[in-house]
Amino acid sequence: MMNCSSRGKLSSFFRTSSSSRSACRQYIIPSHQPVRRLASLAQDVRSDSTFRIPIVDFGRFMSPNSPREREDTANEIVAAFKEVGFVYLSNHGISKSTTDQVFERSAAFFGMPMDVKSKLAWDDPRSNRGYVEQGKERVTQSSDAAEIAELRAKAPDSKETMEIGRDWDSTWKNKWPKEQGCPGFKSTMLEFFQTCHELHFQIMRSIAIGLDLQETFFDDKIHEQYHNLRLLSYPAIKTEILRKEGQARAGAHSDYGTLTLLFQDSVGGLEVQNPHTQQFQPAAPVPGTIVVNVGDLLSRWSNDILRSTLHRVVAPPATKINDREQMTPKRQSIAFFCNPNGGALVDCLPSCHDSSRTKKYAPVTTEQYIVQRLSETYNY
């Protein structure tokens, strides 16, 4: 569990006046997305023409002007997760300088020679650590091994990744490049891992409040930091390849855990499926925000009250090479996959079932579920 000093590091960012937070909120709302009342969200998302992912000021939860403001923010987040499964969080406490440094170190890692990266290869779903080259992964909702193998052969995801877990694990070790080959990589990623965990801890508290649970309900179920920090590099690619049937930079999928914290660069390409129309809609980068989405385990935990929504990465605007070809630019993103403790039993939350809404899923431990999904996804 976080100690007081670690919580204080994240919280200190929010010790600003309410007027400055308001100014930030006005800045990050894109011109094409007018401010709407929370009550209209359920109506907006039922049409593709008005579909939106809400922007929520998390500073109002971390440093509220009143208890009511904190509760209202928690309800906004839960409403977004019920209707869309996604939210943009502003005033989240992670500085631009921090994320810039992570992106720089990530780019340096992927720029290393292939023979160096290959020595750090991912090799076990129980560990889920190390480098994954292009063609090894095909994210999909299918659980059929033969179908996944066919999809991977036909249209593998056009990306490479580096997977990092908690570094003190006595069973599974992270795979780090040598310091002289990638200076500052390990220290930067370890610090960022802890920072993201602290934010996850607070978001889960907001979800507890929004679901009429005790604020600390999840505290002892997520404190072991059984998470995964994923660095992603999407190389530049001819646009015609991404337009082939079934091909994408990352195929349509949902995430496995409780929440995902996604840090995007400015290139774009992320799309979210409208749960009500099944059409994919752009989730364009919004300066100063983190994209946060519900994963499968949190959806199960909530009896599907909170949505684990399909999403994918496709081709953003391309650069013309000649009269016949276009090139889609390279893209970077950082995903922090939040999970409950490995041995935590994910069973229906007490506020999410009653005589009129029965439990939909059998209990499962985090480790059982995550290892099964990873085993199905990778080509090993």
Side-chain angles (χ1 to χ4, degrees), residues 238-375:
K238 288 185 177 180
T239 306
E240 64 182 34
I241 297 175
L242 291 178
R243 289 174 177 163
K244 292 180 180 179
E245 181 182 358
Q247 182 69 63
R249 279 184 151 176
H253 65 285
S254 59
D255 296 336
Y256 306 155
T258 49
L259 298 172
T260 300
L261 313 181
L262 179 66
F263 304 80
Q264 302 190 74
D265 66 8
S266 61
V267 173
L270 176 65
E271 292 186 342
V272 172
Q273 188 182 60
N274 184 333
H276 305 282
T277 69
Q278 280 68 61
Q279 298 300 308
F280 280 90
Q281 301 292 333
V286 177
T289 70
I290 300 171
V291 176
V292 183
N293 64 278
V294 174
D296 295 340
L297 276 177
L298 183 54
S299 186
R300 288 175 67 112
W301 225 343
S302 69
N303 218 20
D304 285 344
I305 289 175
L306 306 183
R307 295 179 181 271
S308 181
T309 302
L310 289 178
H311 50 285
R312 66 188 184 185
V313 180
V314 297
T319 300
K320 187 175 181 179
I321 302 175
N322 53 49
D323 291 339
R324 294 175 298 172
E325 295 180 305
Q326 292 182 320
M327 182 68 74
T328 295
K330 65 181 180 180
R331 175 181 186 263
Q332 277 187 277
S333 65
I334 311 292
F336 188 75
F337 296 111
C338 309
N339 298 313
N341 298 340
L345 188 67
V346 177
D347 194 9
C348 187
L349 298 170
S351 64
C352 294
H353 69 94
D354 54 28
S355 58
S356 63
R357 189 183 184 98
T358 58
K359 296 182 180 182
K360 297 174 66 174
Y361 301 103
V364 66
T365 67
T366 303
E367 184 175 23
Q368 290 171 334
Y369 187 81
I370 298 292
V371 170
Q372 177 185 345
R373 293 293 301 273
L374 289 170
S375 298

Side-chain angles (χ1 to χ4, degrees), residues 66-222:
S66 68
R68 177 62 182 271
E69 187 176 61
R70 195 165 190 263
E71 183 177 344
D72 286 348
T73 305
N75 289 334
E76 286 184 54
I77 291 170
V78 168
F81 288 158
K82 286 180 178 179
E83 297 297 337
V84 186
F86 276 73
V87 68
Y88 290 103
L89 280 193
S90 67
N91 289 317
H92 42 72
I94 301 179
S95 69
K96 183 178 183 298
S97 61
T98 294
T99 56
D100 284 349
Q101 184 179 43
V102 175
F103 274 103
E104 289 170 6
R105 296 290 187 270
S106 177
F109 172 82
F110 289 116
M112 296 174 70
M114 179 57 73
D115 63 331
V116 176
K117 293 184 290 187
S118 296
K119 293 177 182 178
L120 308 172
W122 187 104
D123 56 14
D124 194 312
R126 295 168 297 174
S127 167
N128 194 26
R129 288 161 165 79
Y131 172 71
V132 181
E133 66 182 275
Q134 287 192 71
K136 287 291 187 181
E137 182 182 24
R138 179 50 159 94
V139 288
T140 173
Q141 290 307 98
S142 175
S143 59
D144 182 86
E147 181 180 355
I148 295 173
E150 183 180 352
L151 284 169
R152 189 185 299 114
K154 179 180 179 181
D157 289 345
S158 179
K159 67 177 187 293
E160 56 181 338
T161 72
M162 179 61 172
E163 317 291 334
I164 300 166
R166 54 186 187 180
D167 202 49
W168 61 90
D169 194 300
S170 59
T171 304
W172 306 110
K173 302 295 184 182
N174 281 318
K175 299 187 175 186
W176 299 109
K178 294 181 179 179
E179 178 67 17
Q180 61 267 35
C182 199
F185 180 82
K186 179 177 179 179
S187 60
T188 297
M189 298 309 164
L190 287 180
E191 184 174 355
F192 192 64
F193 188 100
Q194 181 65 33
T195 298
C196 289
H197 167 71
E198 293 169 11
L199 177 58
H200 161 245
F201 201 91
Q202 294 299 329
I203 299 172
M204 291 300 290
R205 285 190 166 187
S206 74
I207 291 171
I209 292 171
L211 290 177
D212 296 322
L213 300 167
Q214 289 291 324
E215 179 179 335
T216 57
F217 179 88
F218 293 109
D219 285 12
D220 64 354
K221 302 169 184 62
I222 62 174

Side-chain angles (χ1 to χ4, degrees), residues 45-65:
V45 298
R46 279 165 173 74
S47 170
D48 290 321
S49 64
T50 56
F51 177 84
R52 62 190 176 94
I53 299 172
I55 298 174
V56 175
D57 178 357
F58 200 57
R60 297 171 66 246
F61 182 83
M62 294 288 287
S63 296
N65 293 318

